[in-house]
Amino acid sequence: MLKNIILMGPPGAGKGTLAKQLKESLNLVHISTGDMFRDAIKAQTELGKLAASYINAGHLVPDDVTIGLVKERLSQKDCEGGFLLDGFPRTLPQAEALQEIAKEISRPIEVVINLDCDNAELVRRISGRRVCKNCGAPYHIDSMKPKVEGVCDLCGGPLYQRKDDNEEALKVRLEHYVSETKPLLDYYDKLSLLKSFNSLTGKEILFDEVSSYLKK
Ligand code: AMP
C-alpha cells in the first residue's frame, strides 16, 4: 500500500473530506496545516494571531512558519506508519523543504493525489460550506446537510461558516492556488509521483477510486 501521501487540489476540491475518509480506512495520520492554524487561532497562541491575519484575508501563511510547523509534526513517532498531508505544500519552497524533511526522517513521499474540480463547483461548495466547531467535520447547506440544522451529526458540536469562506477571500485563495500551488503539479509529475482524480464524481466514488489506487 502507498503511504506518505500528499493531497492536492484547489480550495473546495474535497481534500478535507477525502482525508477524513482515508485516515479512518487506512489508519494514516492526517496532517492538515489549515486545521493546525485554526486550532492555534482558537487557542489564541502567538502562531494563531499571526496566522489569522493571513488566513482571514485568503492569503498564505509565510513559508518559514508553515514549514517549521510541518517539520515538527512529521518528526513525531506516530507518522512512522504513514501520513496524509492535506493543504501542504502550497508553494515551491514548501515542496522543496518537504523533500529535504522527508529525506532527513527517511519517510519519502510515495504519491501525490491531485483532485480536479471546475471553478463554478468550487465556488458553490465553498460558499455553502459549514464546518463543525468541535471536530471539523464538513457539511454543505444544500448537498451535505446535517440531520439537525446547525448541529454536527458526529459530535453534536455547532456548525459555523469559516471566516475565509466568503466571496472576497475565496477569490484571493483561488489566485494563490493558480499562481503558487498549481505549478507544483508539474513539479511532482516530473518526480513521477502525481496521480489526478476528478472530484466531481462525488465523495463516495472518489473515495473508492483513490483508496483502490493507494492499495494497489
Ligand atoms: P485550508 O484549510 O487547507 O483551506 O487552509 C486554510 C488557510 O490556511 C489557507 O487559505 C491559508 O491561509 C492557510 N494555510 C493552510 N495551509 C497552508 C500552507 N501550506 N501554506 C500557507 N498557508 C496555508
Side-chain angles (χ1 to χ4, degrees), residues 26-89:
L26 305 178
N27 205 18
L28 299 166
V29 173
H30 174 205
I31 302 174
S32 155
T33 39
D35 284 349
M36 289 163 97
F37 289 134
R38 280 184 289 276
D39 286 346
I41 292 172
K42 208 156 80 180
Q44 297 181 330
T45 62
E46 284 308 310
L47 170 69
K49 284 178 205 156
L50 175 93
S53 62
Y54 293 94
I55 293 177
N56 293 341
H59 291 297
L60 294 178
V61 178
D63 282 338
D64 55 341
V65 177
T66 312
I67 291 167
L69 195 69
V70 171
K71 183 170 184 177
E72 198 188 312
R73 184 65 189 91
L74 280 180
S75 309
Q76 289 170 14
K77 198 151 176 53
D78 62 346
C79 293
E80 277 173 10
F83 54 80
L84 199 55
L85 278 168
D86 160 11
F88 183 93

Side-chain angles (χ1 to χ4, degrees), residues 9-12 51-61 90-91 119 122-123 126 162-182:
S53 62
Y54 293 94
I55 293 177
N56 293 341
H59 291 297
L60 294 178
V61 178
R90 269 176 151 103
T91 66
N119 257 29
L122 296 176
V123 172
I126 294 271
R162 278 170 44 173
K163 266 196 183 155
D164 58 342
D165 278 352
N166 61 68
E167 209 178 311
E168 210 177 315
L170 177 59
K171 191 167 168 281
V172 179
R173 288 160 71 196
L174 287 171
E175 282 165 7
H176 281 298
Y177 174 75
V178 171
S179 62
E180 283 156 276
T181 311
K182 208 172 173 198

Side-chain angles (χ1 to χ4, degrees), residues 108-168:
I109 301 300
E110 293 173 348
V111 64
V112 177
I113 301 289
N114 172 51
L115 304 184
D116 286 322
C117 191
D118 69 46
N119 257 29
E121 177 63 6
L122 296 176
V123 172
R124 188 197 72 81
R125 288 182 185 181
I126 294 271
S127 52
R129 175 158 68 181
R130 297 293 181 271
V131 183
C132 174
K133 213 163 203 155
N134 287 347
C135 72
Y139 294 88
H140 188 277
I141 52 168
D142 297 320
S143 47
M144 231 200 290
K145 290 182 183 175
K147 290 187 188 110
V148 178
E149 200 186 324
V151 180
C152 177
D153 292 346
L154 303 178
C155 75
L159 305 188
Y160 80 112
Q161 182 170 32
R162 278 170 44 173
K163 266 196 183 155
D164 58 342
D165 278 352
N166 61 68
E167 209 178 311
E168 210 177 315

